[in-house]
């Protein structure tokens, strides 16, 4: 098949159903098959279809009509029909039918399988089901959609897609059209002025099947196009599932000495992931990749515009085209290090090999550019550098892959793709499973029902599926083979001589002469090297001598900023908010709120220093106050830096005093880092946390299948079974993670709070914040990940604010599906929803970043392990030495959110009538408390602790007499396994609250020295 025919087949697949299908079913006399899809397909093939094109008399779907020429079916139609069957079976659970006999017009008896309950008039009964949590959203409660005018909707839909159809000289460019439909089909103007037929943000969530409204029409079209492309490109019409990963991940990211290094490692790995995916997208289209979903990813948009030729003005509304700093979404690490794709079975190995060659070649080219840049800026020459770079990057990244062909599933009924023989698939899976019986999905109750066409005595039928329904088994096998492939790693032996890289200690540092590798640090400083010449540039610190990968990471911010400037057509400034600038953010914000002005003498002194990066929200607040004032404030961190680097104690003391005079108090010297990670992501991707089959159905269908399930135990077992993995699940997870990392997390950190997002990729977030913003930002990020914030009054937030409810996020006019909040089904079953854990560290801005990062990773692990996930862990690294630790769940049943309690207790400590000594007094008497068992019950022990705490809090001014708010909360929150567990919890919480309450944290203070809080 030619490339042109491949893209024509894929476009055909994307047009087999209209986008507005759910709204025209049972309403449009012409039927959904003969609506906009048919007209658009005729437009696309205007130069091919004869004028006397014969219409299909069976009133079948539009594909029959447009793929007939003189009454003969085309191979393209058969390919698309097969792809549609497989896609539907992979994503939609089956339901029972009732066989009845009817007479035809000729008097013949004909057996039909019918299910009246499975006919859903969706415009009258519009429901959406969250695919990850099972939550049902009944849109009928808000008036339904029956007033949506069909004619107007079809006209708008036709106009929308007609604009996307790419033609030149009267001939359709099928590849560009396919890419345009994939990227921009789900995007319409949903503003109040033009809400696309009263649909607004609902357009991109319209269901593919009204009976199973848990996946959108776009998901179905993506999957159908993926299967059709694989079938069409394979000489035997066979598809395979390709699972591929690159690495290593953690060791590459963790080799960091600055926040810029952290960002660079994460972002460069995401960029390598895109370079690995690009060969698949070039050959088969981005819809061939099922995980991650690539639609809307900025780096993919740049490729669509600059390499695939889509018009630049189509992307003008995208945020990445408008921002000229590294707040631009192009700087977000938005892609994971692995992907799953549907590929032609005969080309799987070739495609995987091409991916490996392409991604390694791209990194080698980048390494050469890095050496070019280093030598040019140093004014040196050195071929040895190029050889070192090439040798050290050889074999990086590691590429592991596995491909499983669907041909392991044999179809005895070739025409209908049914009557499946899974013997080869079962044999391939068996080595990866222990025990007897069929392995994996093949032994599940679902497959026992689905595996063959069944007719019960009461004429209830259940049709056997096509190979698409075995997607979970094929995917499971691919993942297990990939895991096995990773255990057989190939190592390339390289010889490294002399002194090693100062960052990793693994490879030689890059040198212009081989002899330099043996120079010690003193001799390097005396004689001069490439690295001593470049100290202060590209973030290269004094004494650093880097190997190939650290050098690439160190220059990546500079090189990518240039790349982003080309993509946006504007100069892009790369910067990272420094730790001390973040520490100053809170006091500067308070000063701006007072509306004061910088004295003229101080302003003149500040003008001698460079402006540095401040948090986005602070910058906007400063410029809103006074533009020039904002520019001047941005010079304060550099002024303070210069004083510290001068090593002149008097000069530093004078600068600190002037800043204190300006702000009205001592400047803050602590900042916070948080690291967020989604819980059990492997389980989510493998389908372990899936909803039950019955929870995927529209309520009308759910009610209709109940009598069948009651009569047939096999059906009941099937409907109650946890739903097997599906492509829709992968697409839903990927879309939710992309929207969270690209839009929601950045909004929360940088617009709701004064933070700086260092990286956000999928479920991983690393952010830097002022101490005052840390706790509320942690709580808000956790709520945003699931898509529900019980603390939020949604109606009070405007359309430009972020609203989180029932598993969705509404930001401006964009409705996004998040990972899903807890949901209770009508029959009382509870789905827990997605959870995330956060580790956070509060540290002095002069603390070594490497030590802070170690503490941050340890905090995240404590949240996962000691907190048993869905938890947070907070570490305070005190400048005076020692540390405070506090770990807990986000919330306990019947108790206010833990962070809310901690924040309110900190506010109580800050009250001018309160004494922070309460924390130390509680610690002093806690060692004399009895064990819980001595009081007879947990309730009695909690009441005793509450009473003692209230007495102490009342004496120190934290609570009024007879109003034990904080003490009652602590009594409910603390564990009662033992006295030590209870008092460790309370003491740790009080110590952290007391630290957060301090007006200034400028290092060691009198209270800290004399009392000494132990955690």
């Amino acid at each position: 098949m030619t490339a042109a025919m491949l893209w024509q087949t894929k476009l055909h697949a994307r047009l087999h159903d209209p986008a507005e299908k759910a709204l025209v079913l049972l309403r449009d006399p012409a039927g959904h098959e003969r609506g906009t899809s048919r007209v658009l397909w005729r437009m696309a093939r205007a130069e091919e279809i004869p004028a006397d094109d014969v219409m299909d008399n069976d009133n079948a779907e539009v594909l029959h009509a447009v793929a007939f020429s003189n009454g003969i079916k085309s191979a393209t139609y058969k390919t698309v029909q097969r792809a549609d069957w497989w896609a539907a079976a992979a994503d939609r659970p089956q339901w029972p039918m009732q066989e009845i006999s009817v007479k035809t017009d000729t008097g013949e008896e004909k057996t039909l399988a019918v299910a009246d309950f499975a006919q859903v008039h969706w415009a009258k009964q519009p429901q959406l089901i969250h695919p990850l949590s099972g939550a049902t959203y009944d849109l009928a409660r808000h008036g339904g959609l029956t007033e949506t005018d069909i004619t107007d909707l079809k006209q708008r839909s036709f106009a929308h897609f007609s604009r996307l159809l790419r033609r030149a000289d009267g001939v359709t460019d099928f590849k560009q059209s396919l890419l345009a439909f994939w990227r921009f089909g789900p995007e319409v103007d949903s503003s109040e002025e033009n809400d696309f037929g009263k649909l607004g943000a609902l357009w991109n969530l319209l269901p593919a099947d009204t009976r199973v409204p848990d996946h959108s029409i776009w998901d179905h079209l993506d999957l159908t196009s993926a299967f059709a492309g694989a079938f069409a490109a394979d000489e035997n019409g066979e598809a395979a599932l390709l699972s591929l990963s690159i690495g290593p991940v953690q060791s590459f990211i963790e080799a960091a000495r600055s926040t810029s290094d952290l960002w660079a490692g994460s972002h460069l790995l995401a960029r390598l992931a895109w370079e690995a995916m690009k060969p698949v997208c070039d050959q088969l289209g981005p819809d061939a990749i099922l995980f991650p979903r690539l639609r809307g990813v900025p780096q993919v948009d740049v490729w669509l515009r600059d390499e695939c030729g889509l018009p630049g003005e189509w992307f003008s509304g995208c945020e990445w085209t408008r921002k000229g700093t590294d707040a631009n979404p192009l700087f977000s690490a938005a892609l994971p290090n692995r992907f799953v794709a549907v590929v032609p079975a005969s080309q799987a190995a070739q495609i995987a090999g091409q991916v490996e060659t392409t991604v390694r070649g791209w990194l080698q080219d980048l390494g050469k550019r890095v050496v070019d840049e280093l030598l040019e800026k140093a004014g040196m020459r050195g071929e040895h550098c190029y050889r070192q770079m090439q040798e050290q990057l050889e074999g990086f990244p590691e590429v592991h892959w596995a491909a499983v062909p669907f041909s392991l599933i044999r179809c005895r009924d070739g025409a209908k793709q049914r009557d499946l023989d899974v013997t080869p698939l079962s044999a391939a899976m068996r080595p990866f499973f222990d025990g007897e019986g069929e392995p994996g999905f093949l032994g599940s109750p679902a497959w026992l029902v689905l595996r063959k066409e069944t007719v019960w005595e009461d004429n209830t039928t259940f049709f056997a599926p096509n190979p698409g329904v075995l997607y979970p088994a094929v995917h499971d096998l691919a993942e297990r083979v990939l895991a096995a492939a990773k255990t057989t790693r190939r190592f390339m032996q390289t010889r490294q001589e002399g002194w090693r890289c100062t960052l990793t200690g693994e490879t030689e540092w890059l040198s212009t002469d081989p002899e330099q590798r043996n120079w010690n640090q003193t001799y390097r400083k005396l004689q001069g090297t490439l690295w001593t010449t470049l100290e202060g540039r590209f973030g290269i610190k004094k004494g650093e001598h880097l190997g190939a990968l650290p050098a690439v990471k160190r220059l990546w911010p500079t090189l990518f900023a240039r790349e982003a400037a080309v993509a946006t057509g504007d100069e892009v400034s790369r910067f990272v908010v420094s730790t001390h600038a973040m520490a100053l953010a809170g006091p500067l914000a308070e000063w701006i709120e007072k509306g004061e002005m910088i004295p003229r003498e101080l302003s003149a002194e500040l003008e001698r220093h460079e402006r540095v990066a401040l948090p986005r929200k602070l910058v906007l607040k400063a410029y809103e106050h006074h533009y020039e004032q904002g520019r001047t404030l941005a010079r304060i961190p550099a002024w303070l830096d210069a004083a510290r680097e001068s090593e002149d104690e008097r000069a530093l003391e004078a600068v600190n005093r002037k800043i204190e005079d300006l702000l009205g108090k001592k400047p803050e010297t602590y900042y916070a880092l948080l690291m967020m990670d989604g819980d059990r992501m492997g389980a989510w991707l493998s389908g372990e946390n899936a909803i039950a089959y019955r929870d995927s159905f529209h309520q009308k269908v759910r009610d209709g299948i109940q009598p069948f399930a009651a009569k047939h135990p096999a059906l009941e077992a099937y409907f109650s079974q946890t739903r097997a993995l599906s492509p829709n699940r992968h697409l839903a997870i990927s879309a939710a993670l992309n929207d969270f990392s690209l839009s929601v997390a950045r909004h929360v950190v940088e617009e709701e709070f004064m933070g700086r997002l260092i990286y956000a990729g999928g479920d991983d977030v690393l952010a830097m914040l002022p101490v005052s913003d840390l706790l509320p930002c942690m709580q808000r990020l956790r709520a945003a990940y699931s898509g529900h914030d019980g603390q939020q009054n949604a109606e009070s937030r405007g359309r430009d604010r972020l609203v989180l409810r029932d598993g969705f996020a509404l930001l401006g006019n964009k409705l996004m599906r998040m990972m899903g909040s807890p949901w209770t089904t009508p029959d009382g079953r509870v789905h827990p929803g997605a959870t995330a854990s956060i580790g956070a560290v509060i540290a002095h801005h002069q603390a070594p970043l490497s030590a802070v990062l170690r503490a941050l990773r340890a905090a995240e692990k404590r949240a996962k392990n000691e907190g048993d996930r869905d938890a947070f862990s907070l570490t305070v690294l005190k400048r005076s030495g020692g540390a405070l630790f506090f770990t807990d769940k986000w919330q306990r049943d019947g108790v206010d959110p833990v962070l809310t309690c901690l924040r309110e207790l900190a506010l109580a400590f800050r009250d001018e009538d309160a004494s922070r000594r309460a924390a130390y007094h509680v610690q002093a008497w806690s060692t004399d408390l009895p064990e819980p068992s001595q009081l007879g019950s947990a309730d009695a022990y909690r009441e005793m602790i509450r009473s003692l705490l209230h007495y102490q809090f009342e004496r120190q001014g934290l609570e009024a007499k007879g109003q034990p708010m904080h003490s009652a909360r602590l009594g409910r929150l603390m564990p009662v396994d033992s006295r030590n567990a209870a008092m460790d919890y309370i003491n740790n919480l009080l110590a952290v609250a007391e630290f957060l309450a301090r007006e200034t944290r400028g290092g060691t203070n009198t209270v800290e020295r004399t009392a000494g809080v132990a955690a």
Side-chain angles (χ1 to χ4, degrees):
M1 172 173 283
T2 65
M5 292 179 66
L6 167 68
W7 296 107
Q8 183 172 343
T9 302
K10 287 179 68 68
L11 183 63
H12 193 171
R14 291 204 75 84
L15 287 172
H16 81 278
D17 273 339
E20 68 276 13
K21 174 182 175 181
L23 289 167
V24 300
L25 279 172
L26 305 180
R27 298 177 70 198
D28 189 355
H32 73 276
E33 298 92 350
R34 296 182 177 273
T36 56
S37 288
R38 175 183 176 182
V39 181
L40 286 166
W41 183 237
R42 284 179 174 273
M43 286 177 61
R45 294 189 58 197
E47 66 274 12
E48 299 179 21
I49 300 179
D52 59 347
D53 180 27
V54 178
M55 301 300 295
D56 181 24
N57 294 325
D58 291 335
N59 195 31
E61 63 182 22
V62 65
L63 299 182
H64 287 78
V66 300
F68 271 82
S69 180
N70 298 323
I72 301 175
K73 280 187 177 181
S74 69
T76 299
Y77 166 72
K78 294 180 180 178
T79 299
V80 174
Q81 184 185 53
R82 181 181 174 212
D84 183 28
W85 287 345
W86 282 36
D91 269 342
R92 303 170 197 171
Q94 305 293 312
W95 53 84
M97 309 285 249
Q98 195 80 37
E99 283 194 345
I100 61 172
S101 295
V102 297
K103 286 188 176 181
T104 64
D105 294 338
T106 61
E108 297 179 21
E109 288 282 339
K110 187 175 182 180
T111 301
L112 296 178
V114 298
D116 291 337
F117 63 82
Q119 272 200 335
V120 176
H121 192 307
W122 198 76
K124 287 184 178 179
Q125 301 170 293
Q127 285 185 358
L128 291 176
I129 294 174
H130 197 295
L132 304 178
S133 70
T136 300
Y137 309 98
D138 192 347
L139 303 179
R141 295 177 182 174
H142 305 283
L145 299 169
T146 53
E147 293 184 5
T148 303
D149 184 80
I150 296 177
T151 304
D152 175 62
L153 179 64
K154 291 170 65 174
Q155 288 175 348
R156 287 172 181 257
S157 178
F158 176 73
H160 173 58
F161 285 100
S162 297
R163 182 179 67 87
L164 300 178
L165 194 64
R166 304 292 292 157
R167 296 178 64 83
D169 300 324
V171 178
T172 299
D173 186 320
F174 287 103
K175 181 176 182 179
Q176 283 196 358
S177 297
L178 180 281
L179 295 174
F181 280 30
W182 170 79
R183 172 61 181 86
F184 292 104
E187 290 192 2
V188 294
D189 185 356
S190 59
S191 63
E192 289 183 353
E193 295 78 18
N194 182 13
D195 63 359
F196 207 74
K198 307 301 180 186
L199 284 178
L202 185 61
W203 176 255
N204 70 339
L205 295 176
L206 288 175
D209 191 313
T210 57
R211 300 160 295 188
V212 191
D214 72 338
H215 62 291
S216 73
I217 186 67
W218 313 107
D219 296 337
H220 178 62
L221 297 179
D222 287 349
L223 186 58
T224 303
S225 176
F227 275 130
F231 294 155
D234 188 82
E235 56 188 9
N236 298 315
E238 297 291 347
L241 208 59
L242 173 65
S243 187
L244 185 145
S245 70
I246 64 172
V249 177
Q250 291 304 324
S251 60
F252 182 66
I253 294 176
E254 289 176 3
R257 189 161 288 168
S258 66
T259 51
S260 183
D261 282 349
L262 275 179
W263 171 85
S266 175
H267 190 269
L268 183 54
L269 191 66
R271 179 56 181 276
L272 286 168
W274 164 239
E275 295 299 328
M277 297 175 201
K278 196 191 292 186
V280 179
C281 296
D282 279 329
Q283 293 182 41
L284 299 168
D287 51 14
I289 294 181
L290 305 183
F291 180 87
R293 168 173 275 174
L294 299 178
R295 185 183 292 117
V297 175
Q299 195 66 56
V300 181
D301 279 355
V302 174
W303 169 74
L304 289 170
R305 186 193 65 181
D306 296 348
E307 297 184 40
C308 300
L310 295 191
E313 59 268 21
W314 288 2
F315 299 90
S316 60
C318 299
E319 192 176 8
W320 63 265
T321 64
R322 301 195 300 266
K323 289 191 174 180
T325 69
D326 61 356
N328 189 308
L330 283 169
F331 284 85
S332 291
L335 293 171
N337 68 313
R338 60 188 298 268
F339 68 83
V340 177
V342 177
V343 300
S346 61
Q347 300 175 31
Q350 175 191 340
I351 290 172
Q354 187 177 353
V355 166
E356 182 173 337
T357 301
T358 299
V359 70
R360 290 180 177 175
W362 182 86
L363 186 59
Q364 285 285 354
D365 290 343
L366 177 62
K368 183 178 181 302
R369 287 165 50 201
V370 167
V371 176
D372 288 342
E373 187 80 16
L374 291 171
L375 293 176
E376 180 185 346
K377 289 295 186 291
M380 294 180 175
R381 299 177 61 184
E383 291 300 318
H384 183 61
C385 273
Y386 290 101
R387 288 196 296 273
Q388 285 180 298
M389 179 65 75
Q390 181 180 358
E391 290 172 1
Q392 291 182 26
L393 293 182
E394 198 74 36
F396 189 89
E398 298 173 6
V399 178
H400 302 280
W401 63 275
V404 177
F406 280 86
S407 58
L408 290 175
I409 307 159
R410 297 170 181 165
C411 303
R412 298 187 183 96
D413 182 352
K416 293 292 186 181
Q417 295 283 295
R418 291 177 177 166
D419 194 10
L420 306 181
D421 177 8
V422 297
T423 304
L425 178 61
S426 176
M429 295 176 67
R430 196 169 300 282
F432 296 98
F433 291 85
D434 296 327
E436 300 179 356
E438 290 294 338
F441 176 72
L442 299 180
S444 69
W447 178 244
L448 295 178
V449 173
L450 294 170
R451 62 184 177 179
K452 62 181 180 179
E453 188 170 2
T454 304
V455 180
W456 283 275
E457 292 179 357
D458 61 352
N459 291 331
T460 300
T461 66
F462 208 77
F463 289 108
N466 61 58
V469 82
L470 285 165
Y471 174 89
V474 174
H475 178 270
D476 188 14
L477 179 56
E479 290 298 296
R480 291 174 186 271
V481 175
L482 177 63
K486 288 181 178 180
T487 63
T488 56
R489 299 174 60 184
R490 295 173 294 171
F491 291 92
M492 297 182 62
Q493 189 172 9
T494 60
R495 183 169 180 168
Q496 303 293 308
E497 300 178 355
W499 294 93
R500 302 302 169 90
C501 168
T502 55
L503 186 60
T504 65
E506 295 177 355
T507 59
E508 303 167 357
W509 52 273
L510 302 181
S511 58
T512 54
D513 189 312
E515 290 299 320
Q516 295 177 356
R517 296 174 299 180
N518 299 315
W519 293 358
N520 62 27
Q521 192 159 351
T522 302
Y523 200 61
R524 292 178 218 162
K525 189 174 182 180
L526 180 65
Q527 294 295 322
T529 65
L530 171 66
W531 298 102
T532 58
T533 305
L534 292 172
E535 282 180 4
R537 295 186 179 184
F538 308 116
I540 296 168
K541 295 177 173 57
K542 189 175 180 179
E544 279 191 326
H545 284 65
L546 304 178
L549 275 173
V552 170
K553 286 172 61 175
R554 193 58 61 84
L555 266 72
W556 179 242
T558 300
L559 297 178
F560 184 74
R562 293 177 191 164
E563 188 177 312
V566 173
T568 60
D570 191 11
E571 182 178 353
V572 177
S573 302
R574 169 61 190 152
F575 60 85
V576 173
V577 176
S578 68
T579 56
H580 69 270
M582 185 59 71
L584 284 169
L588 288 176
E590 292 178 15
W591 181 85
I592 291 170
E593 288 291 342
K594 295 176 183 177
E596 299 181 12
M597 300 291 287
I598 300 175
R600 183 176 300 176
E601 299 79 12
L602 182 58
S603 182
E605 187 171 358
L606 287 170
E607 286 297 325
R608 296 196 293 268
H609 299 275
E610 294 183 351
R611 287 187 294 118
V612 300
L614 293 175
R616 170 179 169 79
K617 185 177 180 181
L618 179 61
V619 170
L620 294 176
K621 187 187 291 287
Y623 285 175
E624 181 181 342
H625 170 55
H626 191 286
Y627 183 76
E628 286 303 323
Q629 290 276 297
R631 292 171 60 87
T632 304
L633 283 176
R635 301 177 192 274
I636 290 179
W639 182 37
L640 192 56
D641 257 355
R644 289 197 179 103
E645 291 172 4
S646 70
E647 299 183 358
D648 184 336
E649 291 292 336
R650 291 184 178 179
L652 178 58
E653 184 179 346
V655 170
N656 278 323
R657 188 165 53 250
K658 289 179 181 179
I659 294 177
E660 183 178 349
D661 290 342
L662 174 69
L663 300 178
K665 63 179 182 180
K666 288 184 178 180
E668 173 69 274
T669 57
Y670 281 78
Y671 72 100
L673 277 175
L674 72 79
M675 181 180 286
M676 174 178 170
D677 185 47
D679 294 329
R680 297 185 174 89
M681 189 50 59
W684 281 94
L685 290 172
S686 65
E688 290 182 27
N689 296 324
I691 60 178
Y693 276 97
R694 63 162 32 93
D695 295 334
S696 298
F697 292 116
H698 188 285
Q699 188 61 52
K700 181 182 177 184
V701 179
R702 208 178 302 176
D703 294 340
I705 64 176
Q706 194 56 43
F708 293 91
K711 290 189 292 184
H712 304 292
L715 283 180
E716 176 58 40
Y718 167 64
F719 292 125
S720 301
Q721 168 83 9
T722 297
R723 187 172 171 182
L725 185 66
S726 67
N728 163 52
R729 183 174 179 82
H730 277 161
L731 292 171
I733 291 173
S734 182
L737 295 181
N738 276 0
D739 285 335
F740 173 74
S741 61
L742 287 171
S743 300
V744 176
R746 184 174 294 277
H747 173 87
V748 169
V749 173
E750 297 189 354
E751 297 191 30
E752 293 191 1
F753 299 98
M754 282 188 298
R756 181 69 172 169
L757 201 63
I758 297 174
Y759 68 73
D763 62 320
D764 294 322
V765 173
L766 178 64
M768 184 162 50
L769 294 134
V771 174
S772 58
D773 280 356
L774 175 62
L775 299 188
C777 185
M778 288 169 61
Q779 201 159 337
R780 185 74 162 148
L781 278 174
R782 169 63 185 86
Y785 182 75
S786 295
H788 189 79
D789 190 347
Q791 304 295 303
Q792 175 180 262
N793 180 2
E795 281 70 28
S796 69
R797 296 181 179 267
R799 288 178 62 85
D800 293 332
R801 299 293 298 277
L802 175 64
V803 177
L804 303 169
R805 185 190 296 170
D806 299 332
F808 286 85
L810 180 64
L811 183 58
N813 290 313
K814 185 177 182 182
L815 182 64
M816 297 166 283
R817 190 167 53 198
M818 296 290 99
M819 285 293 291
S821 55
W823 173 255
T824 303
T825 63
D827 57 359
R829 290 174 291 112
V830 178
H831 191 277
T835 63
S837 298
I838 290 182
V841 172
I842 297 173
H844 193 274
H845 69 89
Q846 288 183 311
L849 183 63
S850 57
V852 177
L853 291 174
R854 284 196 298 272
L856 182 62
R857 286 188 283 271
E860 187 198 22
K861 288 180 180 177
R862 282 198 306 275
K864 296 276 190 182
N865 299 328
E866 295 178 22
D868 194 25
R869 298 183 177 88
D870 196 21
F872 67 90
S873 184
L874 183 61
T875 299
V876 177
L877 300 177
K878 295 188 288 185
R879 179 67 168 169
S880 59
L884 308 175
F885 305 98
F886 182 66
T887 303
D888 202 359
K889 291 287 189 183
W890 293 104
Q891 187 165 5
R892 316 270 192 81
D893 291 340
V895 183
D896 292 336
V898 179
L899 281 184
T900 299
C901 300
L902 180 58
R903 288 166 58 194
E904 292 184 359
L905 189 55
L907 288 175
F909 271 123
R910 291 190 68 174
D911 190 282
E912 60 182 15
D913 295 327
S915 170
R916 295 199 303 271
R917 289 184 176 273
Y920 316 131
H921 292 321
V922 169
Q923 184 186 31
W925 54 251
S926 64
T927 56
D928 299 325
L929 292 173
E931 289 290 339
S933 58
Q934 294 179 258
L935 270 75
S937 71
D939 288 342
Y941 196 75
R942 292 182 188 279
E943 177 57 28
M944 180 193 73
I945 297 298
R946 184 204 63 76
S947 177
L948 291 172
L949 287 174
H950 178 55
Y951 172 76
Q952 188 60 242
F953 288 174
E954 181 190 338
R955 289 191 63 192
Q956 303 300 330
L958 273 73
E959 292 180 340
K961 186 175 182 179
Q963 298 178 18
M965 181 180 73
H966 304 300
S967 52
R969 281 174 168 173
L970 288 176
R972 291 194 299 268
L973 285 172
M974 69 176 189
V976 289
D977 307 79
S978 66
R979 180 197 65 191
N980 288 341
M983 297 318 300
D984 282 350
Y985 181 92
I986 290 176
N987 285 328
N988 289 345
L989 188 148
L990 289 176
V992 171
E994 186 275 331
F995 182 88
L996 294 173
R998 298 175 190 174
E999 285 291 335
T1000 59
R1001 286 169 284 264
T1004 304
N1005 61 33
T1006 304
V1007 175
E1008 197 170 302
R1009 282 198 304 268
T1010 56
V1013 179

